[in-house]
Amino acid sequence: MTPDPLSMADKTPQGDDADVVLDTRTKTQRPPLYKVLLLNDDYTPMEFVVHVLERFFGMTHAQAFELMLTVHKKGLAVVGVFSFEVAETKVSQVMDFARRHQHPLQCTMEKE
């Protein structure tokens, strides 16, 4: 003979939180992304900007040349979107490299 499910429920102890089961899941958020921007100036040679884009942003010569023209014509361009740490490192590398070569090239970052 099978026990009646209703009669079994009557015999279970009733506690304040015995009947409540919470399944909580923490939702991980993606870290915010940052745009790295290259700014135009009247003194940095175009070929130096192309070299920077190839060296620090892994662009082909054609991609770097195209983006350099965008910077030249529009005054600035987004050269990449990265996590905070990567963007900060890229900006620092570009700025240090430009200073070592005595160019006033400016590279900044802003939250996307």
Side-chain angles (χ1 to χ4, degrees), residues 6 12 43 51 67 96:
L6 294 176
T12 57
Y43 304 101
H51 180 68
L67 197 55
D96 290 345

Side-chain angles (χ1 to χ4, degrees):
M1 183 160 155
T2 339
D4 182 17
L6 294 176
S7 64
M8 291 292 287
D10 294 337
K11 295 178 184 175
T12 57
Q14 297 295 319
D16 290 344
D17 57 352
D19 297 325
V20 179
V21 177
L22 295 177
D23 186 17
T24 59
R25 292 184 183 168
T26 55
K27 198 167 193 176
T28 53
Q29 292 182 346
R30 294 189 182 274
L33 295 175
Y34 290 81
K35 297 185 284 191
V36 175
L37 304 155
L38 210 53
L39 284 70
N40 187 45
D41 64 74
D42 295 331
Y43 304 101
T44 304
M46 291 180 178
E47 200 52 48
F48 183 79
V49 175
V50 170
H51 180 68
V52 164
L53 293 169
E54 291 171 346
R55 180 173 177 162
F56 296 106
F57 298 95
M59 295 182 184
T60 65
H61 186 75
Q63 291 169 326
F65 189 82
E66 194 69 33
L67 197 55
M68 176 275 299
L69 286 178
T70 302
V71 172
H72 181 70
K73 291 176 185 174
K74 295 189 176 185
L76 72 126
V78 176
V79 295
V81 179
F82 309 96
S83 68
F84 179 80
E85 293 80 10
V86 173
E88 190 176 48
T89 301
K90 298 268 186 199
V91 169
S92 178
Q93 288 174 331
V94 169
M95 295 296 288
D96 290 345
F97 190 70
R99 296 300 161 265
R100 278 194 313 246
H101 290 87
Q102 300 176 348
H103 294 299
L105 183 65
Q106 293 292 306
C107 186
T108 61
M109 60 188 263
E110 65 181 39
K111 200 169 190 176
E112 189 174 45

